Amino acid sequence: MKTSALEKYTVRDVLEYRGNPQLNYTIGDTNTVEEALALMDIHDIVSLPVFGRSNVNSAMESFVDIVSVYDLRDYIIQSKDLEDEVQFQLLSGRPSGNPTVLQHSVGQVVQSRKHASKQISASASLEQLLQLFTSMGQHRVLVTDLDFGSEFPETTADENTPTVPQSQSQQNQKPAGNRQRGRSIDSGCSSSTVEYYEGGHVVVCGLTQYDVVRFIQHHNHELWHSLDASAMEIAMERMPRGAASLPQIVHLSIRDSALSAMKRLRDTQVSALPVVDADGRLITEVAGTGIRRLRSHNVGMLGKPVLAFMFNLDLSVAHPYVVRESFTLSQIMSGMLRMNYRRAWLVDQEARPISVISLTNVLQHFL
């Protein structure tokens, strides 16, 4: 690692700092895409552990995988019938009444993906965790080989973080023998006890990029000059060696439709794109998480310009987190964590976006 002070830490250290989550956000593989979007929207989360039965006669549900809002977005916008429904609602102002992709099951989304959630051992090094996050495009990873013991802290999460009741199907689930359906989590720390026995726990946990950035910031007193890198230096680190400048950033105009914005997010494999005015100045950002507000009755909003889409679905059009070239990594990380941002937009003197610094870029700096 570039920062030797972090070499002594393991995945378990990050989990212990994050704490044992108390949240119960889960979705069944037979639930619909619309139900998954609604659950994510209500609790402001970006991923859900998926549980399902291996066969119809099984009394217990087992952990299947984690589905993210980006998985749902990509599945929705590649639907062949989506644009027909969008156009119908735009012209008529009402749903067509035909089944849409939102009625597909979460299980269909999981099966359609080309990848499954990545796994890492709790005993693996922090460096290996950073490599998984930065080189494989992962926003969250599953952690194996971890037993919760009495030494594991209850929680270090915000004490105001609400707990969420289980779904009705989960409430009706009866334990079989000495097994019990476990708990699972939100996008903060994806930790869930899948099942357990009297002899001990079988635990499936997870971590997000945000968790790791919090952990590193907690140890900033050990990092010294590593946090002094400027915003421009961080942005240039992902460029090929010898590159003299940053490429022009992909952006959206106020005339672009929400559907075209979502397609561009998918094609560029980024979590957000800047929306600029006629002079190229930053207005706001369009994030993939905006699709959480999509319902069968408002699919037509995807055909509207991005700002109209955001206003009609009550999405925040507030100015995003902006940094200048001279901002240090320490300042950028502090701002992200204090204001709960997933990215910072690097702008020039005229407020035109020239690059984005994501959580991935922050973690990459320490490798």
Side-chain angles (χ1 to χ4, degrees), residues 1-16:
M1 294 183 73
K2 184 189 302 181
T3 310
S4 58
L6 296 176
E7 292 178 351
K8 60 187 176 184
Y9 295 113
T10 67
V11 173
R12 182 181 175 84
D13 292 322
V14 183
L15 276 169
E16 289 183 344

Side-chain angles (χ1 to χ4, degrees), residues 204-257:
V204 177
C205 292
L207 287 169
T208 66
Q209 291 183 331
Y210 196 84
D211 291 322
V212 183
V213 172
R214 285 186 66 243
F215 177 81
I216 293 175
Q217 178 71 357
H218 179 68
H219 293 273
N220 60 8
H221 58 284
E222 302 178 44
L223 303 179
W224 298 97
H225 299 300
S226 296
L227 298 178
D228 293 336
S230 70
M232 180 58 75
E233 289 172 335
I234 299 298
M236 288 295 296
E237 283 181 347
R238 62 180 182 269
M239 298 300 298
R241 187 182 297 274
S245 60
L246 294 167
Q248 184 173 3
I249 191 170
V250 178
H251 64 269
L252 300 167
S253 75
I254 58 175
R255 295 184 298 274
D256 287 314
S257 72

